[in-house]
Amino acid sequence: MDVRFLIDEHIDHAIATALRLRGYDALMLGDANLLGADDFQAIFPFALADTRVLVSRDADFLALHARGDSHAGIVHWQGRKRNVKEAIHYLLQLVRKETSESMVGQVRYIKANYP
């Protein structure tokens, strides 16, 4: 199955829009009625139940991974400065080489080309 995304509220909406325009399934938290929801009690479980790779800058999700919690995959956007075009490019590469099955329990990182 194709990778499907759940994009955290702190991520630029342009990323979800760009993925959707290319035919990929990308939900923003607002689309799932999860704006302002608790990371541990609502967002993380929703992403797992709906088999969605979570795209976030939030280290809380990395802590859940480190703790051994099951998840459908995490893409963590690192660095202080963030380039939306870099993120879109990275996610498009990811959907071309990964599947929802191969992403289960995996963490990938969008690393900016600068600090």
Side-chain angles (χ1 to χ4, degrees):
M1 179 181 357
D2 287 339
V3 174
R4 300 174 338 137
F5 295 102
L6 179 62
I7 308 214
D8 205 352
E9 60 192 326
H10 303 292
I11 301 294
D12 194 308
H13 286 72
I15 294 171
T17 300
L19 291 168
R20 289 175 184 161
L21 287 172
R22 290 164 177 83
Y24 297 105
D25 187 335
L27 273 183
M28 294 294 299
L29 288 188
D31 301 328
N33 295 319
L34 290 170
L35 274 181
D38 182 83
D39 291 346
F40 300 100
Q41 300 300 318
I43 296 170
F44 204 72
F46 175 87
L48 175 62
D50 206 35
T51 319
R52 292 188 176 274
V53 171
L54 185 58
V55 179
S56 181
R57 300 182 325 203
D58 194 337
D60 288 350
F61 298 116
L62 297 178
L64 292 170
H65 169 76
R67 186 171 86 177
D69 288 16
S70 297
H71 59 85
I74 299 168
V75 174
H76 188 260
W77 195 354
Q78 296 181 309
R80 290 181 310 228
K81 295 182 181 178
R82 294 171 178 89
N83 183 305
V84 171
K85 287 182 183 180
E86 284 179 2
I88 292 167
H89 178 75
Y90 180 87
L91 294 171
L92 289 172
Q93 286 183 323
L94 185 135
V95 296
R96 290 180 186 124
K97 62 183 172 184
E98 300 288 353
T99 64
S100 61
E101 293 83 7
S102 70
M103 283 300 297
V104 170
Q106 300 298 309
V107 176
R108 301 288 190 269
Y109 298 91
I110 301 172
K111 297 178 183 176
N113 290 329
Y114 41 84

